Amino acid sequence: MESVLSKYENQITIFADYLEEFPDTDELVWILGKQHLLKTEKSKLLSDISARLWFTYRRKFSPIGGTGPSSDAGWGCMLRCGQMMLAQALICRHLGRDWNWEKQKEQPKEYQRILQCFLDRKDCCYSIHQMAQMGVGEGKSIGEWFGPNTVAQVLKKLALFDEWNSLAVYVSMDNTVVIEDIKKMCRTLSLSADTPAERPLESLTASTQSKGPSACCTAWKPLLLIVPLRLGINQINPVYVDAFKECFKMPQSLGALGGKPNNAYYFIGFLGDPGLIPGLGTSPGEGNGSPFQYSCLENPTEPGDELIFLDPHTTQTFVDTEENGTVDDQTFHCLQPPQRMNILNLDPSVALGFFCKEEKDFDSWCSLVQKEILKENLRMFELVQKHPSHWPPFVPPAKPEVTTTGAEFIDSTEQLEEFDLEEDFEILSI
């Protein structure tokens, strides 16, 4: 009993330090599409941040591939960030953005099932094992660091095996999001009991049509949209800062993957309003120096200049399911002070994430992009209605014969490698 109380008291101390990290100002903090007033809603802000699933380096899991590494410390940070972005999409899909986590409180069964998808076991669909092995098909050896685009491609491939979550994963190509392709991929047919439950829209046959409108209806496959970008050459171009921050304000936001080479973070929001950034872009050398400037450093960043992120660079011991089938989740939520960094110190290679559970969410996202992103003279990315004529035809990625449900997954490396060899990378990159 005494040890439990001691642990609880330590958590209270951590919470107090956490809240003191933020400056006492009237500014807004945006976290994945939700705003918090810093001066009066710090507790609510803390709760929102700590509710995000936090994946870090782990040690003492089964060797990857049977003979590979048993820890991802030093190389797996971008994979962990990709896991965090995907986990947020699954939370939104099954529990909703407003769902909140409380320590030692019983959670919905969907929450436990989501968590089990990411355990460090080869039979979990988004484990470090599956991501590292699928990365081989993207030219990455097991134990090699991933970039934002590589982890996006890996998640897209792995999602094909995940029937429970049933996500459509679209990774943009050439800084361009194509509305027509996304709707082709996400619009499916929910058919009657004597036909398969879900098919692409274009697969509707004459025989199905003859059954009349009662035989089927159009459905929307929940969309995970990832937009890999390069926002400069050696450092982020200040002209993109406003548009980059606007993405965190969108209700569909899943944050961003980025950081610097070999040092990845999962960015979930920012402090302050874009309009409050003083002298933005007036100094070409702005942002040089230390790659990461925190508020506690000698030269703190101005309010409004700071991104908030979850840091995977903590090595924890592998956690498995318990005898009752649940997972002890206390190490999967970050209760430490939130990290912040100057946005101009961000490496220009990033990947934005968005989740659209229904078609109306995607339509709303398109409208927001038109209003907030495409208004800039130098656009962060493009949104077009039709598939570009000079691109290869868009073919929605199809699931191989091997199937999975929930947290179960294929455990054959040979099947993964065969899948990688058979795919046309150019088509999948669209």
Side-chain angles (χ1 to χ4, degrees):
M1 181 65 177
E2 183 178 350
S3 62
V4 173
L5 289 175
S6 176
K7 182 183 293 187
Y8 183 67
E9 288 169 357
N10 289 337
Q11 292 298 336
I12 294 176
T13 301
I14 290 174
F15 284 171
D17 291 342
Y18 194 144
L19 298 179
E20 290 171 2
E21 282 292 309
F22 287 105
D24 188 17
T25 72
D26 292 325
E27 289 186 285
L28 290 174
V29 175
W30 288 90
I31 301 293
L32 301 176
K34 295 184 70 174
Q35 67 176 27
H36 304 279
L37 188 60
L38 195 53
K39 179 166 281 188
T40 61
E41 297 179 333
K42 285 185 178 179
S43 295
K44 185 179 175 183
L45 171 62
L46 164 64
S47 178
D48 195 19
I49 294 175
S50 65
R52 303 314 112 214
L53 282 173
W54 179 49
F55 298 120
T56 70
Y57 291 151
R58 295 277 173 171
R59 61 177 180 270
K60 297 184 178 179
F61 49 70
S62 62
I64 297 175
T67 59
S70 58
S71 173
D72 62 312
W75 60 270
C77 54
M78 183 60 81
L79 283 73
R80 298 300 185 181
C81 292
Q83 287 180 328
M84 286 189 269
M85 177 178 281
L86 176 58
Q88 179 60 23
L90 301 187
I91 291 291
C92 291
R93 190 212 189 295
H94 296 288
L95 303 176
R97 174 63 182 89
D98 292 331
W99 170 84
N100 217 341
W101 173 83
E102 292 183 32
K103 186 176 173 62
Q104 297 178 336
K105 179 182 178 181
E106 185 177 356
Q107 301 297 335
K109 64 180 186 299
E110 292 88 354
Y111 166 80
Q112 278 287 329
R113 195 169 180 185
I114 291 169
L115 195 53
Q116 291 176 23
C117 290
F118 297 93
L119 295 182
D120 300 316
R121 297 174 9 184
K122 66 177 183 179
D123 60 342
C124 295
C125 51
Y126 301 113
S127 67
I128 194 75
H129 299 67
Q130 298 293 355
M131 294 185 72
Q133 290 182 312
M134 191 63 85
V136 174
E138 299 297 324
K140 297 292 183 180
S141 302
I142 294 175
E144 187 176 353
W145 195 83
F146 284 25
N149 182 63
T150 302
V151 79
Q153 299 295 340
V154 164
L155 291 177
K156 180 170 69 173
K157 290 181 178 181
L158 290 178
L160 297 174
F161 297 92
D162 180 13
E163 292 183 348
W164 175 56
N165 292 301
S166 187
L167 293 180
V169 181
Y170 178 95
V171 182
S172 66
M173 186 175 74
D174 293 341
N175 291 4
T176 303
V177 176
V178 183
I179 296 173
E180 178 183 56
D181 294 346
I182 289 177
K183 296 211 169 187
K184 181 179 180 180
M185 180 172 63
C186 292
R187 284 176 172 169
T188 61
L189 289 172
S190 297
L191 303 176
S192 56
D194 59 339
T195 56
E198 198 174 75
R199 292 182 185 175
L201 192 60
E202 64 271 16
S203 69
L204 183 62
T205 62
S207 61
T208 304
Q209 293 181 40
S210 66
K211 296 180 181 180
S214 61
C216 65
C217 61
T218 303
W220 176 267
K221 198 170 186 179
L223 169 68
L224 169 57
L225 168 58
I226 304 178
V227 186
L229 300 170
R230 187 157 189 93
L231 303 179
I233 300 176
N234 297 317
Q235 64 185 60
I236 188 170
N237 189 329
V239 301
Y240 295 121
V241 169
D242 280 7
F244 187 74
K245 287 188 172 183
E246 282 295 330
C247 292
F248 292 99
K249 298 167 72 172
M250 296 177 179
Q252 302 85 357
S253 174
L254 294 176
L257 308 177
K260 67 174 183 176
N262 304 321
N263 207 1
Y265 299 111
Y266 175 41
F267 295 93
I268 60 172
F270 69 92
L271 169 63
D273 186 90
L276 299 177
I277 298 178
L280 178 61
T282 58
S283 173
E286 195 173 9
N288 289 333
S290 172
F292 296 97
Q293 293 183 343
Y294 300 97
S295 58
C296 58
L297 296 184
E298 185 175 333
N299 297 312
T301 57
E302 292 289 339
D305 258 343
E306 295 181 328
L307 296 174
I308 299 170
F309 63 91
L310 295 179
D311 187 352
H313 299 92
T314 296
T315 305
Q316 303 185 92
T317 303
F318 162 65
V319 172
D320 204 349
T321 52
E322 299 180 339
E323 291 183 1
N324 62 2
T326 64
V327 179
D328 184 351
D329 66 351
Q330 63 178 343
T331 63
F332 292 98
H333 293 272
C334 183
L335 302 179
Q336 301 170 1
Q339 302 275 20
R340 307 198 302 277
M341 64 168 281
N342 188 330
I343 189 171
L344 294 176
N345 289 329
L346 180 68
D347 186 88
S349 181
V350 299
L352 297 168
F354 305 94
F355 177 71
C356 303
K357 185 175 182 178
E358 300 178 8
E359 185 169 6
K360 65 180 181 181
D361 299 323
F362 177 64
D363 292 339
S364 173
W365 179 83
C366 291
S367 297
L368 287 171
V369 169
Q370 293 279 359
K371 180 181 178 182
E372 303 296 343
I373 306 299
L374 303 186
K375 67 180 181 181
E376 304 292 341
N377 291 329
L378 188 58
R379 296 173 175 178
M380 192 165 61
F381 62 86
E382 296 290 343
L383 177 67
V384 298
Q385 184 67 45
K386 296 293 185 181
H387 185 86
S389 58
H390 62 281
W391 282 11
F394 176 74
V395 179
K399 180 180 63 179
E401 292 301 317
V402 181
T403 60
T404 178
T405 56
E408 298 174 354
F409 198 56
I410 58 176
D411 58 4
S412 170
T413 305
E414 293 180 0
Q415 289 172 323
L416 282 172
E417 291 174 348
E418 181 182 355
F419 173 48
D420 290 331
L421 290 172
E422 290 178 351
E423 287 188 318
D424 183 342
F425 176 75
E426 290 297 327
I427 293 178
L428 280 179
S429 296
I430 297 177

